[in-house]
Amino acid sequence: MKAITTKQRILNAPITRILFGLLVCFIAFILAQQLTGKLLDLTTLDKNYRNLIKGIISSAAVIGAYSYFYKKYEKREITEFSKKGIAKYIIIGTLIGIVLQCLTILVITLSGGFEIVSINPISNMIIPFTVAFSVAIFEEILIRGIIFRILEEKLGSYISLLITAIIFGALHLANPNSTLQSGLCVGIEAGFLMGAAYIYARNLWFPIAIHFSWNFMQSGIFGAITSGNEKTSSLLTTKISGSDLITGGEFGPEGTVQAIVFCLLAAFILIQLSKKKIVNPYWKEGNN
């Protein structure tokens, strides 16, 4: 048997594969954003449509970079972006995100804290649509496609789920108007839900679709603050008021107690449906 060299051990180490993957995807995203932006600035297209095109190209560049890099590095087929079942996972994932966000807003409405001020042109949804799908693709590739997937190989599904949920919540602490409560909310609801979605489908289309529709409904349809960022244009101009526990305050509806409850319930259901897909940590596998 051929001995494994120190160099091979380092290159095959989980932390190395994670760091290289993150670097490749960040570079691909930044380059695509910069180059596409400069080219589109030469056109007469409306700014919103330029941003839409830039978002599509940048997202495609990250998917392409991820797929090419790990296909060569790990010498395998990239099943995370398999075309098999893609329509099913995108449709179901989108519906899950829509339902969860609507339930979250429903609780605010029942508490008397949601008021529709006006209904705006459909074109108002272009910006939040662009942001929602770009963020969903980029974050799911980084957190679920790279960090969770590689950690899961050694630590198993449950420990990796916990670690990536903590990372996801911690990253959102850097957002405007974030608090420890909002970071915990995002980590618990989104971290566990998106991880569970990946375990269930074993592809990234499913968590991307859930992530996208959750964010888009929140900002593009209901006109709510998303992750503490400034409001964008939206289909509905709304006024949200009431207790921060129910409304999320300046962070938005995803920082609410009901969002945690609904998303955790969805995550629990997905995990229960994924029992045969759960990966054990390496020390348990060794005992089988």
Side-chain angles (χ1 to χ4, degrees), residues 33 36 41-43 74 80 89 104 123 128 133 161 171 175 214 220 254 260 270 288:
Q33 284 265 307
T36 307
D41 284 342
L42 301 175
T43 71
E74 298 175 339
E80 304 91 280
Y89 287 121
T104 300
S123 60
F133 82 74
L161 200 56
L171 289 174
N175 287 18
W214 169 274
E254 60 192 27
I260 290 181
L270 288 174
N288 290 339

Side-chain angles (χ1 to χ4, degrees), residues 9-214:
R9 285 197 185 93
I10 294 173
L11 289 176
N12 292 330
I15 187 64
T16 307
R17 291 158 57 204
I18 288 173
L19 291 176
F20 280 168
L22 293 175
L23 182 62
V24 166
C25 289
F26 268 107
I27 291 174
F29 184 77
I30 292 170
L31 287 178
Q33 284 265 307
Q34 293 296 319
L35 292 174
T36 307
K38 289 184 183 299
L39 289 174
L40 289 172
D41 284 342
L42 301 175
T43 71
T44 57
L45 283 172
D46 179 80
K47 183 180 178 180
N48 289 348
Y49 289 104
R50 276 184 281 159
N51 285 332
L52 176 61
I53 294 171
K54 185 165 67 174
I56 293 171
I57 293 176
S58 299
S59 298
V62 176
I63 292 174
Y66 172 91
S67 300
Y68 181 81
F69 175 74
Y70 280 112
K71 183 176 183 178
K72 296 295 183 181
Y73 198 157
E74 298 175 339
K75 296 178 175 60
R76 65 181 181 86
E77 290 300 314
I78 306 301
T79 56
E80 304 91 280
F81 283 113
S82 171
K83 294 179 181 178
K84 184 179 180 180
I86 180 173
K88 177 183 74 174
Y89 287 121
I90 288 178
I91 291 171
I92 295 175
T94 300
L95 289 175
I96 289 174
I98 289 172
V99 169
L100 291 174
Q101 185 59 234
C102 286
L103 288 172
T104 300
I105 295 295
L106 177 62
V107 173
I108 301 175
T109 304
L110 293 176
S111 71
F114 186 81
E115 177 187 350
I116 298 176
V117 178
S118 65
I119 300 176
N120 305 309
I122 293 177
S123 60
N124 275 32
M125 295 189 292
I126 295 175
I127 293 177
F129 178 87
T130 303
V131 173
F133 82 74
S134 297
V135 168
I137 290 172
F138 191 59
E139 290 186 353
E140 290 311 309
I141 285 177
L142 299 187
I143 305 298
R144 258 58 66 173
I146 297 176
I147 300 176
F148 176 85
R149 177 181 62 81
I150 294 175
L151 287 180
E152 187 188 37
E153 294 172 3
K154 293 291 185 181
L155 302 179
S157 301
Y158 294 128
I159 296 176
S160 301
L161 200 56
L162 177 60
I163 291 173
T164 49
I166 292 171
I167 292 172
F168 198 62
L171 289 174
H172 284 75
L173 288 175
N175 287 18
N177 303 307
S178 66
T179 63
L180 182 58
Q181 175 190 314
S182 64
L184 286 171
C185 286
V186 172
I188 293 171
E189 68 200 28
F192 285 123
L193 176 58
M194 305 310 168
Y198 175 76
I199 292 171
Y200 175 81
R202 287 298 166 186
N203 68 52
L204 288 169
W205 298 121
F206 195 37
I208 284 172
I210 297 173
H211 196 152
F212 158 74
S213 57
W214 169 274

Side-chain angles (χ1 to χ4, degrees), residues 213-226:
S213 57
W214 169 274
N215 280 356
F216 178 64
M217 288 297 295
Q218 187 170 231
S219 59
I221 302 297
F222 295 125
I225 297 169
T226 298

